[in-house]
Amino acid sequence: MKKDFAYAVELPYWQAPNDDIVINSKGDSLTAFFQIWSSPAKYSVFTGIFDFSYVWAMRFERNKDLSYYIPREDDNFHACYWIVPESSWLEKLKAERRSFFPDWDKYDVGEYTHYIIQSDSFYVEIIAKDIKISRKKLKDVF
C-alpha cells in the first residue's frame, strides 16, 4: 500500500457538505458534531456524531492538497470520512515517543489509526484508537 494514501469510508448519514463541524475534547476523547441532510439541502432533526477515543493527536488543515485521497468520483457516497492505513504522521509520532519512552508500546496496547473528517473548509486529522459514529436529536449544538 502506498504511504499516506487515504481511502474513503461511507458515513451512515448524509453530512451536510458545506457546514462546519463542532468539536469538543476532554482528556483523550474527541467528539465532532455535524449537521445531517435527510435529502438535498433539507436538514434532518438529527445531529451526526463522531466519537473518537484514546486520541493521541489532532490537526486542522485548510486548503489541503487532496492528492493522496482516492478520487471520489467512482463512488456514490453522500458523505464519507477517510482512513490512512500507512500514515507517515503516525510513524513520526511513534518514533518520537519511542525516543523518550523506549518501551511505551508494551504499556499502551491497541492500534492507533489515522482518521480524516471534513468540516466546511478544513480537514481534521485525528490519530486515535477508536471511532464510533452515531446520531441523536440534540439542541443548541450549531
Side-chain angles (χ1 to χ4, degrees), residues 5 10 25 39 55 59-60 119 121 141:
F5 194 67
E10 185 173 18
S25 69
S39 60
V55 173
R59 65 186 180 192
F60 294 92
S119 192
S121 55
V141 174

Side-chain angles (χ1 to χ4, degrees), residues 75-137:
D75 66 45
N76 60 357
F77 301 165
H78 285 301
C80 71
Y81 65 97
W82 292 267
I83 292 177
V84 184
E86 297 291 328
S87 169
S88 60
W89 181 34
L90 179 53
E91 285 179 12
K92 181 181 174 189
L93 289 171
K94 286 179 178 180
E96 181 180 275
R97 194 170 182 190
R98 200 171 290 115
S99 73
F100 294 107
F101 307 105
D103 295 332
W104 72 269
D105 51 352
K106 292 178 183 172
Y107 308 102
D108 188 355
V109 295
E111 290 296 316
Y112 285 95
T113 302
H114 181 171
Y115 299 98
I116 303 169
I117 60 175
Q118 189 170 356
S119 192
D120 176 34
S121 55
F122 284 87
Y123 287 90
V124 182
E125 301 192 52
I126 299 140
I127 303 288
K129 287 187 182 177
D130 194 29
I131 182 176
K132 290 189 173 101
I133 301 165
S134 63
R135 68 180 187 170
K136 290 183 183 170
K137 286 185 181 180

